[in-house]
């Protein structure tokens, strides 16, 4: 639905919170701080082609991947913007191995923040859309103390809010507190996020699939069959599905949220648990897509119900329109059944 009039993100958050009986204003202030960090990162992303910020720092992140300067800038900007507010007891970032404590001089709050500061970093140097992803929980450890690893390792169902910022042809912030999904577009002239997408709903079925097809030879047979099916099927408009893959999770999922379709980063022979991180990528995106009426699965189970065991664990991800995710699960289940059937036949012969 297209909103009318100018609704800034601050006013929207405040009005949303005032409808909750236990509203304290704290949650609004926290999301406002996040919007500020998003504006700072957006400004830097837009300057990336102009200043000498490109190139590798020479470091690798905890996943052994090369870290670019803008990743670190985004990571540090988020820390700086969020630690002062007094809202969080602990944070965790894709770019840091361990949990991040709030510096002693700052107040400790009741929320937990997890983030992927810059998603799609292989696209930075080539002016292709990238993003930031965040996930917020309430602490489970006692108030007033520094937060713990346990606060960070909660199931995705416990998220109280999640969102992403897309640095694309314009900068957008999309967030949910579980009920509806809202999108705000940054007006670069006066630096405000304005409500541009109200109550986003993902189409029940799409005609786009996005995954890295270069990994085809490593896929399991059920996935190969599913993708072949999408290429053979005649859709409502008499055409097969379209393939679209940017290589930035935020941008790929944002497009599918608008148009419908499925995004997949599967487990395969090389990566038995997939590539995307449960805490920084899968869970927040799953919360958003579910709130928009879609589904997110690891191929068998709901992403949001996975009990995390470590901060940086990865999970396979099948996410998007309800129909499309349900269909791929059927192909994967059928594969399991075929394997079981063949094993049984072997053992009986
Ligand atoms: P990040 O830049 O935060 O490490 O994330 C990159 C992720 C994700 O954005 C994208 O969907 C995926 O990596 C692309 O992986 P492939 O290059 O293996 O397709
Ligand atoms: Mn990422
Ligand atoms: Mn990242």
């Amino acid at each position: 639905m297209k909103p009318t009039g100018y609704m800034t993100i601050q006013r929207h958050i405040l009005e949303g919170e005032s409808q909750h009986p236990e509203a304290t204003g704290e949650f609004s202030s926290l999301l406002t701080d996040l919007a500020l960090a998003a504006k700072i990162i957006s400004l830097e992303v837009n300057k990336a082609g102009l200043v000498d910020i490109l190139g590798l720092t020479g470091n690798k992140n905890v996943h052994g991947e090369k870290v670019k300067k803008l990743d670190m800038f985004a990571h540090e900007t988020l820390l700086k913007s969020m630690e002062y507010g007094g809202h969080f007891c602990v944070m965790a970032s894709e770019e840091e191995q361990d949990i991040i404590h709030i510096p002693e001089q700052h107040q400790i709050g009741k929320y937990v923040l997890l983030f992927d500061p810059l998603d799609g970093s292989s696209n930075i140097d080539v002016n292709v859309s990238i993003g930031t992803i965040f996930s917020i929980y309430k602490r489970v450890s006692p108030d007033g103390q520094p937060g713990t690893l346990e606060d960070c390792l909660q199931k995705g169902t416990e998220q109280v809010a999640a969102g992403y910022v897309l640095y694309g042809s314009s900068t957008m912030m999309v967030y949910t507190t579980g009920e509806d999904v809202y999108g705000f577009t940054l007006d670069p002239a006066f630096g405000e996020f304005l409500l541009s997408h109200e109550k986003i709903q993902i189409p029940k079925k799409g005609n786009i699939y996005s995954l890295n097809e270069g990994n085809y030879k490593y896929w399991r047979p059920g996935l190969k069959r599913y993708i072949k099916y999408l290429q053979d099927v005649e859709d409502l408009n008499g055409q097969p599905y379209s393939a679209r893959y940017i290589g930035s999770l935020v941008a790929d999922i944002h497009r599918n949220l608008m148009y419908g379709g499925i995004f997949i980063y599967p487990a395969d022979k090389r990566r038995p648990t997939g590539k995307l991180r449960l805490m920084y990528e899968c869970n927040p995106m799953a919360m958003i897509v579910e709130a928009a009426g879609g589904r997110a699965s690891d191929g068998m189970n709901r992403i949001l119900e996975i009990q995390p065991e470590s901060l940086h664990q990865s999970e396979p991800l099948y996410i998007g329109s309800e129909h499309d995710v349900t269909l791929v699960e059927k192909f994967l289940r059928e594969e399991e059944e075929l394997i079981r059937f063949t094993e049984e036949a072997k053992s009986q012969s």
Side-chain angles (χ1 to χ4, degrees), residues 261-282:
I262 187 164
F263 173 92
I264 300 174
Y265 209 108
D268 64 23
K269 282 191 194 134
R270 275 191 314 179
R271 293 190 169 107
T273 59
K275 175 182 182 187
L276 301 176
R277 296 75 172 189
L278 178 63
M279 307 313 294
Y280 312 109
E281 293 168 321
C282 305

Side-chain angles (χ1 to χ4, degrees), residues 307-343:
Q307 176 61 57
E309 274 159 20
S310 65
L311 269 184
H312 296 280
Q313 83 189 58
S314 55
E315 294 292 339
L317 181 63
Y318 298 80
I319 187 169
S321 295
E322 185 187 323
H323 168 92
D324 296 281
V325 176
T326 305
L327 185 62
V328 72
E329 283 178 333
K330 285 188 194 297
F331 274 81
L332 300 177
R333 267 196 210 109
E334 188 186 77
E335 175 194 325
E336 306 267 309
E337 272 169 35
L338 286 173
I339 293 170
R340 243 194 327 271
F341 182 77
T342 314
E343 291 300 318

Side-chain angles (χ1 to χ4, degrees), residues 71 94-95 116-121 281:
D71 297 47
E94 186 208 63
E95 296 296 342
D116 178 354
L118 212 64
D119 172 70
S121 38
E281 293 168 321

